[in-house]
């Protein structure tokens, strides 16, 4: 008797995907602008590919190497580089993008209430230890929080970013 659930083959998965790698739509941007650990950038890059988002990284010298090592897809991915993060966020706001902070904050909306992104949306993630700096929080149009019931204070930043990206992309 064949099993009720049969995982798809690689050929079936490939047929269901876009024929080409990500074309920059500039619609959904994941912005870990104060990263501490390169491994989290690699994980986020993979989620960006899965949902059709771009990754926005700050100009730290080690970031290129971290992204090259983290790109286990071995295909080109869409990475934008900023200058100063606050100046970049300000210019995104001025050009009409919606800035969405991902942070545990009193004013946050819950992930389950977050609608899919309609226009250009920048999802901003915080530093692994210190979160999103205050002057960046002041620029946000909204902040989203992923509810937790465990004893840990927060999620890994790449896990948090991936959950929010899926929601913004309208895939969950
Ligand atoms: C490890 S957390 C930052 C630590 C936290 N601010 C603190 O002081 O304990 C790193 C980043 O992950 C994201 N994050 C982690 N868990 C989250 C959650 N439950 N809801 C929303 N964002 C979360 C936020 O962007 C946060 O700035």
């Amino acid at each position: 008797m064949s099993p009720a659930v049969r995982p798809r083959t690689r050929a079936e998965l490939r047929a269901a995907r876009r024929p080409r790698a990500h074309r920059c739509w500039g619609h959904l941007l994941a912005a870990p602008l104060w990263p501490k650990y390169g491994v989290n950038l690699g994980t986020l890059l993979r989620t960006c590919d899965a949902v059709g988002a771009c990754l926005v990284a700050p100009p730290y010298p080690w970031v290129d190497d971290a992204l090259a090592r983290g790109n286990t897809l071995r295909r080109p991915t869409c990475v934008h580089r900023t200058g100063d993060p606050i100046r970049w966020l300000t210019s995104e706001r001025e050009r009409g993008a919606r800035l969405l902070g991902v942070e545990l904050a009193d004013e946050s909306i819950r992930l389950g209430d977050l609608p899919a992104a309609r226009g250009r949306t920048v999802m901003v993630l915080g530093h692994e230890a210190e979160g999103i700096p205050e002057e960046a929080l002041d620029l946000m149009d909204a902040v989203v929080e992923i509810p937790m019931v465990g004893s840990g204070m927060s999620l890994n930043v790449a896990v948090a970013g991936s959950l929010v990206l899926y929601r913004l992309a309208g895939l969950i």
Side-chain angles (χ1 to χ4, degrees), residues 94-122:
E94 283 166 3
R95 67 178 286 193
R98 180 169 190 252
L99 305 188
L100 177 72
V102 180
E103 196 55 275
L104 295 135
D106 285 343
E107 300 76 11
S108 298
I109 51 173
R110 291 162 68 91
L111 182 63
D113 296 327
L114 182 70
R118 279 193 295 266
R120 184 175 172 93
T121 302
V122 179

Side-chain angles (χ1 to χ4, degrees), residues 32 40-48 55 123 125 157-158 161-162 165:
N40 289 328
L41 294 181
T43 303
L44 281 165
L45 193 60
R46 188 117 191 202
T47 305
C48 284
L55 185 85
M123 180 197 75
L125 294 162
V157 67
S162 296
L165 273 179

